[in-house]
Amino acid sequence: MEPLRLKLDLQLFSQEKTEPATPKKRQDARKKGQVAKSMELPAAFILFFSFLSFYMIGGFMKERLIDLFSGTLRHDLLMDVTMANIRMLFYQLLIQFLIMLAPILILTMVIALAGNYLQIGILFTGDPLKIKLSKLNPIEGFKKIFSMRSAVDFLKSMLKMSVIGIVVYTTLWDEKAQLLSLSHVPLEKSLHYIWSLTLTLGLKIAFILVVLALFDYLYQKYEFEKSIRMSKQDIKDEYKKMEGDPLIKGKIREKQRRMAMQRMMQEIPTADVIITNPTHFAVAIRYDSANMQAPKVVAKGTDHVALKIREIAKEHGIMIMENKPLARALYAQVDLEESIPGDLFQAVAEVLAYVYKIKGKVKNA
C-alpha cells in the first residue's frame, strides 16, 4: 500500500500548477489575447491628463468659448432664418467646437494608446471576438458572477467610491465658507471660482484613480501569472510536443540506422577489397579510375557488422585482406562515401595494387 500511495502522491504533485509559464505558453496565451492588462489604468491616465490639460490650455479654450458665444449673440441672431443660413451657422459652430476640443481629443487618443502599449505592447488578435458556445453556458456564467475575481472587483469598486467620496467631501467642506458666499459675488468671479474648484477636484480624483489603477495592474499581473502557471507534467508534455516524443524519435533514428545499414550492405558487392582486423573491424574499399580521383570507403563496421561484411564479400568473391593498423585507421578516420585521406593513400594504394595483381593472375590463369 505504501508504494502505491507514494506513487499517487507523486502523480498529484506533478499535476499541481506550481511552475512559472514557459515562453511558449506565454506566447500561446498572448496569441489568444490573454495578457496582464488593467482596463482602469488607461481610463485613469486619460482623466488625469485631461484635467491637467485644462490648466495648460484653459486660457485658449476660454477665448474660443467667448468668441463663440459673443459672435453668435451679436451677429447670428440678426440674420435671416433660412435653410442656407441655418446650415452655415451650424457648420461654423461645429468647426469652432472641434477646434476648441481638438487638443483634448488628441491628448485622449494618445494617452489611451500609450496606456495600452505600456501594458501589453503591440497586439492584434481576433481570438477574443470568436463566437464560443461555452460562453453561453449559464453554469459557467453563474460561477463567474460568484467567483473570487468578481468579489475582488466589487471590493475595488467600493474602495474607489469610498476614497473619492471622502476626497470630495473633505474638499467641499474646506471650501464651504467660500461656497456659501457665492451669492454675494459677481457672476464672473463665481464662475472662475467654480472652474478652479472643479479642476482641483478633478485632479485629486484623477490622481487617486491613477494610484488605484497601478495597484489594479499589479493585481491583474499577479492573477495572469497565476492563471498561466504550469505543472511539471505540463512542462514535460510541452517539451515533448516541441522536441518530439523521445520514444518516437528513438524509433525514427533506429529506422534510419537500419536503412543506412541496408544501403551500405548493398554497396559491398561493388567493392574491390575488404580490409579487416581480422575479426573486430572490416572496411570495404572501391576504386574506379574513370570516375574517382581516389579510392572511397563504401562500407565499414565492427564486430557483428564486420562479420556480415565479410560474409557478403565471400558470397560475391571479393578479396579479404588482413591489415590491422590500416583497418583501424580507415574505420576511425574515414566516413562512408569519403575518399581516402592523403596519409593513408599510400597504404591503400599498395593494397589495391596487390589485389589487382592477384585478380590479373587469376584472369590469366
Side-chain angles (χ1 to χ4, degrees):
M1 287 297 292
E2 289 298 328
L4 179 60
R5 183 178 300 173
L6 178 61
K7 184 177 180 180
L8 291 174
D9 291 340
L10 291 175
Q11 289 178 350
L12 291 174
F13 178 74
S14 65
Q15 294 298 327
E16 292 182 0
K17 298 184 181 299
T18 58
E19 305 301 316
T22 60
K24 183 179 184 304
K25 179 68 176 290
R26 295 179 183 277
Q27 184 178 6
D28 293 341
R30 184 176 177 82
K31 289 180 180 179
K32 296 177 181 179
Q34 299 174 1
V35 290
K37 177 183 177 182
S38 172
M39 300 298 294
E40 299 179 5
L41 193 59
F45 275 119
I46 289 173
L47 185 64
F48 178 79
F49 284 101
S50 296
F51 276 101
L52 188 63
S53 65
F54 285 135
Y55 271 113
M56 300 170 60
I57 60 174
F60 166 79
M61 296 185 68
K62 177 183 176 182
E63 292 178 1
R64 303 299 301 188
L65 195 61
I66 292 175
D67 291 342
L68 178 65
F69 281 99
S70 62
T72 302
L73 294 175
R74 290 177 182 176
H75 307 290
D76 297 334
L77 293 180
L78 302 177
M79 70 179 181
D80 296 331
V81 181
T82 63
M83 186 62 68
N85 289 339
I86 295 297
R87 185 182 296 111
M88 181 61 67
L89 174 62
F90 276 100
Y91 177 75
Q92 291 176 354
L93 292 176
L94 179 62
I95 295 298
Q96 292 295 329
F97 271 113
L98 289 177
I99 293 174
M100 183 173 60
L101 298 176
I104 304 298
L105 296 176
I106 294 174
L107 179 65
T108 300
M109 185 180 299
V110 171
I111 295 301
L113 294 174
N116 285 281
Y117 176 78
L118 291 176
Q119 292 186 84
I120 62 175
I122 299 176
L123 176 61
F124 297 100
T125 177
D127 191 84
L129 301 177
K130 292 181 180 178
I131 299 176
K132 297 179 181 178
L133 297 179
S134 59
K135 295 182 179 180
L136 302 178
N137 189 343
I139 298 177
E140 293 296 328
F142 185 81
K143 289 181 180 179
K144 289 182 180 180
I145 293 175
F146 294 95
S147 64
M148 180 59 69
R149 179 180 289 272
S150 298
V152 172
D153 291 339
F154 175 75
L155 291 177
K156 288 192 300 182
S157 300
M158 293 298 297
L159 177 63
K160 285 194 298 184
M161 295 302 297
S162 300
V163 173
I164 292 173
I166 292 172
V167 170
V168 172
Y169 174 78
T170 54
T171 302
L172 295 180
W173 183 259
D174 293 338
E175 299 291 332
K176 63 178 181 177
Q178 189 70 23
L179 288 171
L180 293 174
S181 64
L182 288 179
S183 58
H184 305 289
V185 177
L187 180 61
E188 183 179 356
K189 290 186 178 180
S190 298
L191 293 176
H192 184 270
Y193 172 75
I194 293 173
W195 172 257
S196 300
L197 182 60
T198 302
L199 288 180
T200 302
L201 272 175
L203 282 174
K204 287 182 178 180
I205 293 172
F207 178 76
I208 291 171
L209 291 178
V210 168
V211 174
L212 294 177
L214 289 174
F215 281 106
D216 179 65
Y217 172 72
L218 295 177
Y219 170 75
Q220 297 296 338
K221 190 173 181 63
Y222 166 77
E223 282 292 317
F224 173 72
E225 293 294 335
K226 183 179 178 182
S227 66
I228 63 172
R229 282 180 187 171
M230 304 174 68
S231 64
K232 296 183 181 296
Q233 187 62 41
D234 292 336
I235 296 177
K236 291 180 180 179
D237 293 341
E238 182 184 281
Y239 178 78
K240 287 181 180 179
K241 290 180 180 179
M242 293 177 61
E243 302 295 332
D245 193 328
L247 295 177
I248 297 176
K249 290 175 67 176
K251 291 180 180 179
I252 293 174
R253 285 195 294 267
E254 181 62 28
K255 186 175 181 180
Q256 290 173 344
R257 283 195 294 267
R258 288 199 302 268
M259 293 175 65
M261 183 67 67
Q262 185 177 1
R263 288 194 299 269
M264 185 182 72
M265 294 302 178
Q266 292 174 351
E267 293 292 329
I268 295 175
T270 65
D272 294 308
V273 64
I274 307 297
I275 302 175
T276 65
N277 192 28
T279 56
H280 296 294
F281 292 89
V283 180
I285 305 295
R286 177 163 58 90
Y287 179 59
D288 184 359
S289 59
N291 300 314
M292 298 180 184
Q293 295 181 353
K296 288 185 177 182
V297 173
V298 295
K300 66 176 184 177
T302 60
D303 299 331
H304 176 72
V305 178
L307 178 61
K308 187 68 175 177
I309 291 174
R310 291 196 300 271
E311 290 177 356
I312 297 176
K314 290 178 180 178
E315 292 176 1
H316 293 82
I318 298 173
M319 185 174 293
I320 299 175
M321 291 190 62
E322 179 181 340
N323 189 327
K324 296 181 180 179
L326 183 58
R328 288 178 175 273
L330 289 172
Y331 182 85
Q333 299 181 28
V334 188
D335 291 329
L336 292 176
E337 297 299 327
E338 281 191 359
S339 298
I340 302 300
D343 56 339
L344 299 176
F345 186 83
Q346 181 65 32
V348 173
E350 292 177 358
V351 170
L352 289 174
Y354 177 77
V355 170
Y356 294 150
K357 183 178 179 181
I358 297 298
K359 286 183 177 180
K361 290 181 178 179
V362 172
K363 288 181 180 179
N364 293 331

